[in-house]
């Protein structure tokens, strides 16, 4: 007689490293309700000390906004990540931003994606605080977050995918 043994599928997860050198904090601290209330998805906030945005994970660039203040990255598992620099930075029309990537490009964790002028942002708009948001939460079982002082080599998110 045969006996069937049920085995759970191995947990599938993705690790994201910090896209910013500086401070990582809970998104509820963001001075904009769109982010603080997680209306676009779950994630974390950042305060940059060096004005550089790095790739938090390997993936494909889906979009670089024309104003270079934000971009969307998709992992091979299909997780889409919005990286957005500052609050109301769209109004700056690209001033103080430089992109080092483009739509369709494959990037590796740690690659430099954008640079931005922190002081100019502080002078011109509401805030220089930034966010990393997972926009397709329907694929996510849970997210573990590490907060505090970070650099681009620190793991900050563990995303567990739905089975």
């Amino acid at each position: 007689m045969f006996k069937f043994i049920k085995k759970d599928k191995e947990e599938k997860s993705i690790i994201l490293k910090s896209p910013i050198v500086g401070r990582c904090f809970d998104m509820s601290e963001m001075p904009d309700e769109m982010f603080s209330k997680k209306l676009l998805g779950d994630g974390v906030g950042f305060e940059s000390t060096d004005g550089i945005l790095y790739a938090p994970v390997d993936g494909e660039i889906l979009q670089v906004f024309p104003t270079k203040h934000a971009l969307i990255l998709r992992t091979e598992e299909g997780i889409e990540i919005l990286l957005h620099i500052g609050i109301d930075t769209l109004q700056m029309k690209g001033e103080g931003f430089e992109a080092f990537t483009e739509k369709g490009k494959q990037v590796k964790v740690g690659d430099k994606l954008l640079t931005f002028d922190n002081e100019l942002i502080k002078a011109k708009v509401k805030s220089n605080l930034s966010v990393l948001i997972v926009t397709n939460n329907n694929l996510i079982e849970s997210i573990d977050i590490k907060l505090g002082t970070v650099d681009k080599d620190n793991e900050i998110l563990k995303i567990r995918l739905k089975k």
Side-chain angles (χ1 to χ4, degrees), residues 57-112:
V57 67
D58 295 349
E60 177 186 359
I61 301 296
L62 294 184
Q63 181 178 3
V64 177
F65 287 63
T67 51
K68 303 174 193 139
H69 74 287
L71 58 82
I72 300 172
L73 169 69
R74 181 176 54 215
T75 70
E76 70 176 36
E77 297 84 2
I79 299 301
E80 294 181 4
I81 299 162
L82 169 67
L83 297 161
H84 188 285
I85 306 299
I87 305 293
D88 295 338
T89 44
L90 179 66
Q91 298 171 14
M92 294 176 66
K93 299 179 180 165
E95 182 186 6
F97 294 88
E98 184 176 359
F100 292 88
T101 192
E102 60 190 23
K103 180 179 179 175
K105 187 172 180 186
Q106 295 293 320
V107 296
K108 295 286 186 192
V109 64
D111 286 355
K112 181 165 60 170

Side-chain angles (χ1 to χ4, degrees), residues 25 27-33 35-36 87 126-127 129:
F25 58 88
M27 265 193 3
S28 65
E29 297 177 39
M30 287 297 293
D32 183 300
E33 284 193 358
F35 300 130
S36 65
I87 305 293
K126 185 175 182 178
S127 173
L129 299 179

Side-chain angles (χ1 to χ4, degrees), residues 5-19:
I5 300 171
K6 184 179 176 187
K7 291 188 175 181
D8 288 334
K9 289 182 180 177
E10 190 174 307
E11 176 187 281
K12 183 132 183 164
S13 61
I14 304 169
I15 301 293
L16 273 64
K17 292 192 175 181
S18 180

Side-chain angles (χ1 to χ4, degrees), residues 51 92 95-98 115-123 128:
M92 294 176 66
E95 182 186 6
F97 294 88
E98 184 176 359
T115 59
F116 49 96
D117 185 330
N118 260 324
E119 296 310 311
L120 185 64
I121 293 170
K122 287 178 191 177
N128 73 322

